[in-house]
Amino acid sequence: VQLQASGGGLVQAGGSLRLSCKASGGTFSDYTMAWFRQAPGKAREFVGGIRYRGGTTRYADSVKGRFTISRDNVKNTVYLHMNSLKPEDTAVYYCAADRWQILSSMTDQAQYDYWGQGTLVTVSS
């Protein structure tokens, strides 16, 4: 599976962005999809995920109520809708995929076999 992330950019605090991650080379509906991010000098962390079956979603506490993840199984694309952005949301955002993943593994980056190249989001204050 190949993942291509896009949509990053520079935005002012309080603004919005939508990230996209298009998958190719596999049966997209079989994969749990997730977004992780890595800020400068920090470890990569889970942001949100959407399960392959039923579309159950989970979010990091830091983004709950502001970010929404969705998927389009026809377009083979997962989206991260980011609202009310804060300077601390500045990071490189990565999409990841894991086939037939159990729900309890969603937040564990070690479970993901496929990763996109990352897209930079910069939020200015």
Side-chain angles (χ1 to χ4, degrees):
V1 173
Q2 293 80 46
L3 303 176
Q4 181 70 41
S6 62
L10 174 64
V11 63
Q12 288 189 332
S16 299
L17 276 177
R18 186 187 76 166
L19 305 183
S20 301
C21 176
K22 185 170 178 59
S24 60
T27 303
F28 183 71
S29 58
D30 286 347
Y31 289 82
T32 287
M33 302 298 296
W35 289 92
F36 292 80
R37 67 185 181 186
Q38 187 167 21
K42 295 187 177 182
R44 189 162 57 186
E45 63 177 3
F46 173 79
V47 175
I50 185 164
R51 199 160 181 240
Y52 74 99
R53 180 180 295 173
T56 299
T57 57
R58 281 189 174 174
Y59 299 94
D61 288 343
S62 59
V63 307
K64 277 181 183 176
R66 300 188 298 121
F67 291 11
T68 303
I69 190 169
S70 63
R71 65 188 298 158
D72 186 330
N73 286 344
V74 174
K75 295 182 178 180
N76 291 352
T77 302
V78 62
Y79 303 97
L80 184 67
H81 307 263
M82 304 185 295
N83 297 316
S84 301
L85 282 161
K86 305 176 181 180
E88 51 264 43
D89 295 318
T90 294
V92 176
Y93 284 71
Y94 299 90
C95 59
D98 187 27
R99 193 179 186 194
W100 297 336
Q101 186 190 73
I102 60 174
L103 184 57
S104 60
S105 296
M106 186 182 287
T107 62
D108 182 2
Q109 60 183 294
Q111 300 298 321
Y112 290 83
D113 296 320
Y114 305 99
W115 291 83
Q117 83 286 6
T119 184
L120 176 62
V121 173
T122 303
V123 184
S124 62
S125 56

